[in-house]
Amino acid sequence: MRSLLLWMARNRFLRKNLPRLWFAKRAVRRFMPGEDAEAALGAGEKFKAEGIRSEFTRLGENVETLLECEDTAQHYIDLMDEIEARGIDGEVSVKLTQLGYDIDVERTLERAGRLAAKAAEGGRTFWIDMEGSSYAEGTIAFYERLKATHANTGLCLQAYLRRTAADVQRLLPLDPRVRLVKGAYAEPASIAYQSKHDVDTNFVALAVALLEARREGRDVRLGLGTHDIRLIEQIAEHAHAMDLPKTSFEVQMLYGIRMDQQRRLVSEGYTVRDLISYGHAWFPWYMRRLAERPANVIFALRQIIG
Ligand SMILES: Cc1cc2nc3c(=O)[nH]c(=O)nc-3n(C[C@H](O)[C@H](O)[C@H](O)COP(=O)(O)OP(=O)(O)OC[C@H]3O[C@@H](n4cnc5c(N)ncnc54)[C@H](O)[C@@H]3O)c2cc1C
């Protein structure tokens, strides 16, 4: 089921045609408040009232024209103005391929620099998502360059990749801001851990390495991008044992998933940020969400029928 859903995520025909169907639009509502920025900002305002911070991403990947890249960059600049105006504790997270990485890396760096500078005006982090493994090295090298000129940038790292432990060591001297996730793509065993046990073990080890660097005085920011409460608890215990406060890391979860836990963690003094996705190009992203938990397929079918 997981492989089928990930294959569907990459299929151009389905990507173009399925999202037009009314029942697909209806099913995706569980994971996004709406297709436009207004719906996302509205969700951010509601979260603000509950003490939950926000992170915004407009769905879309592998943009093909320069015009689209410029449009995306301008969209995020305008969004950051709105975030500021509404007093939301919100940050933005972007895929490099959305900013034109496949077309021109240097111009993508210039666009990302503009977004990071805008985020810095409000004292916010500008986040870069991690995509499939063919982009891993390029994205990390890109981050190193951007971080050198814009300290407020953060990068997503995937615990399922075998290389990530070395990447963490490579980035530590830069005082990185890291969102650690398990990883959402289909990757081969030669480069990625395959079993849940191995991925989870690596996730904890990577988080501990980043927290240790923080304890040793490095200005590391750690976001745990996971809904896995057991892992969050294990990492919280490590932080406690290192005499680090609950606020030494942030929990980041996706809109619509484990909202009860997001609220509970806030009530216990943890910092929680909800990643709110929106936009028209939701199909591959939605397929990856279903692949993470095939039980969601049943849920989606029920939404369609009911
Ligand atoms: C804030 C954030 C940003 C992310 N950014 C990226 C990125 O840039 N690149 C990337 O590759 N991946 C990204 N991901 C996705 C990530 O890699 C995982 O695929 C995803 O978080 C599911 O794994 P998990 O850590 O929640 O653990 P899992 O072991 O998959 O799940 C743990 C538990 O959480 C619940 N759960 C998990 N997923 C779902 C779901 N879809 N629906 C309902 N319940 C669920 C289930 O109860 C499950 O038992 C991001 C995730 C988050 C939360």
Side-chain angles (χ1 to χ4, degrees):
M1 174 68 92
R2 182 167 186 268
S3 310
L4 174 67
L5 291 164
L6 290 175
W7 172 82
M8 288 173 75
R10 294 190 302 271
N11 185 285
R12 276 177 177 263
F13 176 82
L14 293 177
R15 189 187 286 208
K16 191 164 167 226
N17 294 296
L18 247 176
R20 296 183 183 158
L21 303 174
W22 65 268
F23 60 79
K25 279 184 192 291
R26 186 165 160 178
V28 78
R29 281 291 175 269
R30 174 180 177 189
F31 294 121
M32 56 181 243
E35 291 190 354
D36 57 13
E38 189 51 44
L41 288 161
E45 285 180 305
K46 280 191 197 133
F47 285 141
K48 179 182 156 194
E50 296 188 73
I52 297 175
R53 302 171 191 211
S54 300
E55 191 170 359
F56 296 91
T57 195
R58 184 169 74 155
L59 297 170
E61 36 204 275
N62 302 96
V63 157
E64 281 163 7
T65 68
L66 280 176
L67 200 67
E68 280 178 279
C69 311
E70 274 306 319
D71 171 71
T72 301
Q74 190 55 48
H75 175 87
Y76 281 116
I77 299 272
D78 296 343
L79 187 80
M80 283 189 260
D81 279 334
E82 272 303 314
I83 289 171
E84 193 68 38
R86 297 180 194 213
I88 300 171
D89 186 338
E91 300 181 330
V92 303
S93 193
V94 176
K95 287 190 175 22
L96 289 186
T97 57
Q98 247 188 322
L99 286 183
Y101 185 86
D102 291 332
I103 307 171
D104 185 336
V105 174
E106 294 308 311
R107 289 180 75 171
T108 305
L109 189 64
E110 184 272 317
R111 279 181 207 106
R114 252 189 283 152
L115 296 183
K118 182 76 189 172
E121 283 173 20
R124 301 169 201 276
T125 297
F126 167 66
W127 289 99
I128 297 174
D129 286 353
M130 187 58 83
E131 303 181 58
S133 60
S134 59
Y135 290 100
E137 177 55 35
T139 304
I140 289 165
F142 186 100
Y143 178 68
E144 288 173 322
R145 291 178 69 194
L146 187 63
K147 184 80 169 72
T149 50
H150 297 83
N152 65 316
T153 50
L155 176 67
C156 177
L157 292 177
Q158 298 155 325
Y160 65 8
L161 290 186
R162 296 179 192 273
R163 60 173 290 159
T164 302
D167 291 334
V168 165
Q169 293 308 317
R170 168 177 165 184
L171 293 176
L172 275 181
L174 305 181
D175 288 337
R177 301 183 181 191
V178 174
R179 178 209 302 144
L180 191 60
V181 302
K182 292 191 187 180
Y185 299 81
E187 303 292 0
S190 53
I191 59 164
Y193 299 109
Q194 303 292 308
S195 74
K196 178 170 164 58
H197 175 264
D198 289 350
V199 176
D200 289 1
T201 304
N202 200 35
F203 191 104
V204 174
L206 295 167
V208 168
L210 286 157
L211 287 173
E212 269 169 359
R214 191 180 162 107
R215 189 188 48 175
E216 284 158 16
R218 293 232 76 102
D219 188 12
V220 169
R221 176 171 161 193
L222 173 63
L224 303 177
T226 182
H227 314 94
D228 197 327
I229 297 299
R230 207 180 42 86
L231 286 192
I232 294 168
E233 281 168 2
Q234 281 178 39
I235 293 160
E237 278 168 26
H238 281 286
H240 183 66
M242 288 182 221
D243 274 337
L244 289 170
K246 283 179 172 177
T247 48
S248 58
F249 60 88
E250 183 176 285
V251 176
Q252 301 185 352
M253 294 195 187
L254 302 178
Y255 178 91
I257 301 180
R258 301 213 127 171
M259 288 310 307
D260 54 339
Q261 295 292 342
Q262 295 190 35
R263 295 188 180 103
R264 179 186 64 81
L265 287 163
V266 168
S267 74
E268 290 178 8
Y270 291 96
T271 307
V272 177
R273 194 174 291 279
D274 190 292
L275 176 58
I276 305 169
S277 301
Y278 61 98
H280 304 288
W282 46 260
F283 182 73
W285 166 86
Y286 180 51
M287 287 299 116
R288 289 198 292 274
R289 298 290 81 77
L290 293 183
E292 279 155 13
R293 194 161 177 257
N296 281 338
V297 176
I298 310 284
F299 183 87
L301 289 173
R302 268 206 225 114
Q303 301 258 98
I304 291 163
I305 297 161

